[in-house]
Amino acid sequence: MLSRPFTAARPLSHIFLKPRVLPVRTQVRCLSEADINDPGMNGGYINPPREKRQFRDPYADWWDKQERRNFGEPVHEDNDILGVFSPHEYTHFTAAKGLFLNGCFIAAVLGLCGVVAIYYPDRPTVPRTFPGGLDRELGGKGAVLALSDEEA
């Protein structure tokens, strides 16, 4: 069952009315003393240098060997991004070397396709010939047409 406002008929006059243009009011903000004294807005917390834990020495004598940090070491504000369990940065190949290797693969595949296309025996070496060219056997000129099932 539909609700009453849903089924009520509305006049079409609201479609043709022009929308009102409201004036734009900007918000004026006053700088408080806390904003001036603490531009980072983190309560005066001093962040350590931004270093991803993936690049720390895994064999060093860490207090927390899994997270690669020592006891009492300050944690960066972006610890969730810089920690060990964040997505690892891929540093095995550079972009140029990756493009070069992809180009070599494509060239090798296309080269192999070209060699196969040249040497693949797609037809016999010497075409077979028949006396008279099998013209009559294949139903050529002068051949009697075969009867269909309806004519028999």
Side-chain angles (χ1 to χ4, degrees):
M1 182 127 254
L2 295 174
S3 66
R4 184 174 230 176
F6 214 38
T7 59
R10 295 184 64 189
L12 295 177
S13 61
H14 74 280
I15 295 176
F16 301 110
L17 293 177
K18 291 184 179 180
R20 289 187 303 172
V21 179
L22 298 174
V24 178
R25 296 183 182 135
T26 59
Q27 180 182 5
V28 179
R29 181 172 182 232
C30 299
L31 287 176
S32 65
E33 187 177 332
D35 292 334
I36 295 170
N37 293 339
D38 188 16
M41 296 190 324
N42 57 3
Y45 185 77
I46 299 172
N47 273 329
R50 185 178 175 91
E51 178 187 10
K52 196 160 174 74
R53 299 248 171 84
Q54 169 190 359
F55 300 120
R56 286 187 172 184
D57 183 20
Y59 303 109
D61 189 27
W62 301 107
W63 181 76
D64 183 2
K65 297 197 183 303
Q66 187 173 18
E67 199 52 46
R68 296 181 191 164
R69 62 183 296 260
N70 289 321
F71 182 77
E73 180 182 354
V75 178
H76 196 276
E77 235 177 351
D78 297 327
N79 186 46
D80 54 344
I81 298 170
L82 300 173
V84 171
F85 297 111
S86 64
H88 287 267
E89 290 185 23
Y90 187 77
T91 57
H92 189 66
F93 287 128
T94 61
K97 187 173 181 182
L99 289 174
F100 172 73
L101 290 174
N102 281 334
C104 288
F105 171 75
I106 291 170
V109 168
L110 292 178
L112 179 66
C113 289
V115 168
V116 167
I118 291 172
Y119 292 108
Y120 186 72
D122 57 344
R123 59 189 153 138
T125 310
V126 178
R128 292 180 64 182
T129 58
F130 298 95
L134 293 179
D135 190 35
R136 196 179 71 215
E137 287 83 357
L138 294 177
K141 188 169 117 180
V144 179
L145 296 176
L147 296 175
S148 64
D149 293 335
E150 291 96 27
E151 296 175 356

